[in-house]
Amino acid sequence: MLEILTIEFMRNTLLAGVLVALGLAPLSVYVVLRRIVFVGAAVAEISSAGVALAVLFQVEPFAVALVLTLLTFLGFSRAADSPRLPLEALIGMLYAGGSAAAVLLIVKAPRGEGEILNVLFGNILTVPQPLLWAMAATFAVVALLQFVASKEFLIAAYDPDMARALGISVNLWNTIFYVALGVAVAIAIRAVGALMTFTMLVAPGASALCFVRGLSGAFTIATVIGVVATVAGVFASFWLDFPTGPTIVAILAATFALSYGYAAMRGA
Amino acid sequence: MANELVSVRSVTVGYHGRAILRNLNFAIERGDFMGVMGPNGSGKTTLLKTLLGLLDPLEGTIEMRPANGVPLRIGYVTQRERLDAHFPLSALEVAIMGRFGMIRALRRPRREDNEIARGCLRRVGMENRAARPYRELSGGQQQRVLIARALAGEPDLLLLDEPTNGMDVEAERAIMELLLGLQQEKSTTIVFVTHLLSAIEHFARRVALITRDGTVVIGDKAAMLAPDNMARAYAATET
């Protein structure tokens, strides 16, 4: 059963998946509660446009994707508090604009298609060792930030007026939250692709919120769901000869369906 | 003058440069129990947010007068409908937020903050529901938790936005009596905004009346509820 762990690239796959789960699953609670679930999808498109741009101009794709992702999230942090337009309109336009830009840039980039596909669908099986270290460091910082800034992140999201009345800067903490989210998403997309990143940014939090009674429990349960689904997905894909990323995504989707069904039966 | 907690001088309030209330001059006195009333859309909440510092006045000055050199602490009770029911927070988790302004950045609440928040829930009669999900409480119970949250910040001035909105008569009475009791217990200055005449009529001591021409008239309840003043705020424009 554990022969999978004797194969180096499968060990790396498992490690990459677990790191992404540890990094994104706790964030997914806020992503769901802040109603920004499609940010992940929009940012994936922006990221792929960034990669296409980088290929076109022959510069490092990840650097361009990271910069564009961070700029997008910084834009979200400013727009999150705007009374002019619902945030989802901005997310929708970024999704559409990012998709169009990616396609148009691919057309002009002679070697772009393969790299774009790698960003969009990722390949958890081929995560290089240096990227694993970068992921571990990045997600550790993001997790630590979430822990120490829990009260600021909570009140800025839950009751911005109250936060301001208490002298807590909502703009500052929204910016810090979105930058942390942006960095985590950028590195996760680079490692495991847009589909798994997007799902990990929604499913664990959405599943946990179906049955928890307190917020601190939601972070713990979301993280457990993310890690367990990832480990189960890696093993299942190995035994059943399925692609790993989509297997993890399918397990996360099934977990959400069960959680949602449980909540519905309970009348929550 | 010595008894003034907040002094509002020649203040114009509004959003994005558009004035809603003009040339306001009034004071909130220590120990006040003041109701701010006016028709829907008259600018009550805008005035409250300006007092809170959430909006800058377009003109004029608002002076907060600290007691014994300690900066004035303001407790804010938001409209409970504005809070997102998807957040799975217990009553205690909501109440402890009132302490967040007193805890340094990047520090988590300590046991002492927990105890103070629990004590505030006790003061509003909600201690036995501290662990219950906030979203599963009744409207009146949620309002009590929000009042406890504001009290947890140990405020000198408590500002409440429509504290009895959407409640039946009994629940409204219970909340207003609770506020009155809190005011008497510790002489906390309380200002509440409402569009409900009943809350003003039965409980406020002083009344700030927002008139149709965008000014604020302040006085004793009896004077403010006189027909001529009511007409300044509520009478329909003759055509």
Side-chain angles (χ1 to χ4, degrees), chain A:
Chain A
M1 177 181 167
L2 292 177
E3 78 255 32
I4 184 174
L5 297 177
T6 63
I7 307 166
E8 187 183 357
F9 83 88
M10 286 309 293
R11 280 202 307 270
N12 283 355
T13 298
L14 195 59
L15 190 55
V18 168
L19 283 172
V20 167
L22 289 172
L24 296 190
L27 283 170
S28 70
V29 175
Y30 273 128
V31 167
V32 172
L33 289 174
R34 282 175 174 259
R35 299 160 197 253
I36 53 171
V37 292
F38 282 102
V39 163
V43 165
E45 295 303 319
I46 297 287
S47 185
S48 58
V51 171
L53 190 69
V55 171
L56 189 64
F57 290 101
Q58 299 190 345
V59 291
E60 166 57 37
F62 178 60
V64 177
L66 178 65
V67 168
L68 280 183
T69 303
L70 279 178
L71 287 176
T72 306
F73 275 107
L74 278 172
F76 280 130
S77 73
R78 290 282 169 260
D81 210 25
S82 166
R84 290 193 193 90
L85 205 61
L87 191 59
E88 62 175 9
L90 184 64
I91 296 171
M93 287 317 300
L94 278 169
Y95 179 84
S99 308
V103 170
L104 293 175
L105 290 167
I106 289 169
V107 169
K108 293 292 177 190
R111 297 178 294 105
E113 193 174 356
E115 296 210 46
I116 301 294
L117 288 176
N118 199 31
V119 165
L120 283 178
F121 302 107
N123 195 349
I124 192 173
L125 297 175
T126 58
V127 180
Q129 196 77 34
L131 185 55
L132 284 175
W133 284 111
M135 288 163 71
T138 302
F139 293 144
V141 170
V142 170
L144 181 67
L145 182 65
Q146 264 201 288
F147 180 76
V148 296
S150 59
K151 73 176 191 302
E152 286 86 359
F153 285 165
L154 169 62
I155 199 161
Y158 183 63
D159 194 349
D161 279 351
M162 175 78 176
R164 290 188 193 96
L166 292 173
I168 295 170
S169 171
V170 173
N171 280 344
L172 173 69
W173 290 106
N174 275 344
T175 302
I176 292 172
F177 173 79
Y178 278 104
V179 167
L181 186 59
V183 172
V185 165
I187 201 161
I189 287 177
R190 178 78 180 90
V192 300
L195 180 63
M196 185 173 155
T197 299
F198 173 63
T199 312
M200 198 59 83
L201 215 47
V202 180
S207 305
L209 288 168
C210 284
F211 48 83
V212 294
R213 288 171 70 87
L215 193 60
S216 51
F219 293 111
T220 309
I221 291 175
T223 306
V224 170
I225 287 172
V227 170
V228 170
T230 299
V231 173
V234 171
F235 276 83
S237 70
F238 182 74
W239 290 326
L240 302 171
D241 197 22
F242 281 157
T244 306
T247 307
I248 295 170
V249 169
I251 290 173
L252 283 168
T255 306
F256 171 71
L258 288 173
S259 306
Y260 191 77
Y262 170 76
M265 278 198 311
R266 241 185 26 169

Side-chain angles (χ1 to χ4, degrees), chain B residues 10-29:
Chain B
S10 306
V11 164
T12 296
V13 303
Y15 286 101
H16 309 303
R18 190 174 68 85
I20 295 175
L21 300 172
R22 290 181 179 79
N23 197 28
L24 308 181
N25 288 284
F26 64 90
I28 298 171
E29 294 172 5

